[in-house]
Amino acid sequence: DRKPLTKLFKDISNDYLNVYYIDPHNYLCKSEICVPQIDNIPLYADNSPHFSTNAKFILVPFFDKEFGLIINR
């Protein structure tokens, strides 16, 4: 369950102006079940949350958007 840690990180980011909480979970898991691949690219290298070599750029659009929002504040 990731909710307690997510809450902690959000609380910290709300308490400090220079701390941002960026979570790619919803980007990767668009439904209640997280899929093991996107666009036929396996996401994970093993049974851990480590990305496979082929999936290392999957989050580029997500981080481009999120960092853009932070930079343009």
Side-chain angles (χ1 to χ4, degrees):
D1 184 16
R2 56 190 305 274
K3 288 180 184 178
L5 196 54
T6 297
K7 182 185 178 326
L8 173 67
F9 289 150
K10 284 182 177 181
D11 289 347
I12 292 170
S13 70
N14 289 331
D15 290 342
Y16 297 94
L17 293 176
N18 62 340
V19 174
Y20 301 92
Y21 176 71
I22 300 174
D23 184 3
H25 181 268
N26 290 340
Y27 183 83
L28 293 170
C29 303
K30 300 195 189 307
S31 66
E32 289 185 31
I33 298 173
C34 296
V35 295
Q37 64 183 17
I38 295 178
D39 296 332
N40 293 324
I41 298 171
L43 294 178
Y44 307 104
D46 48 32
N47 287 333
S48 72
H50 301 118
F51 281 137
S52 68
T53 302
N54 293 335
K56 63 185 171 190
F57 297 112
I58 281 286
L59 290 175
V60 168
F62 170 80
F63 284 116
D64 280 348
K65 177 185 171 210
E66 294 297 318
F67 290 145
L69 293 173
I70 292 168
I71 290 169
N72 293 316
R73 282 188 178 193

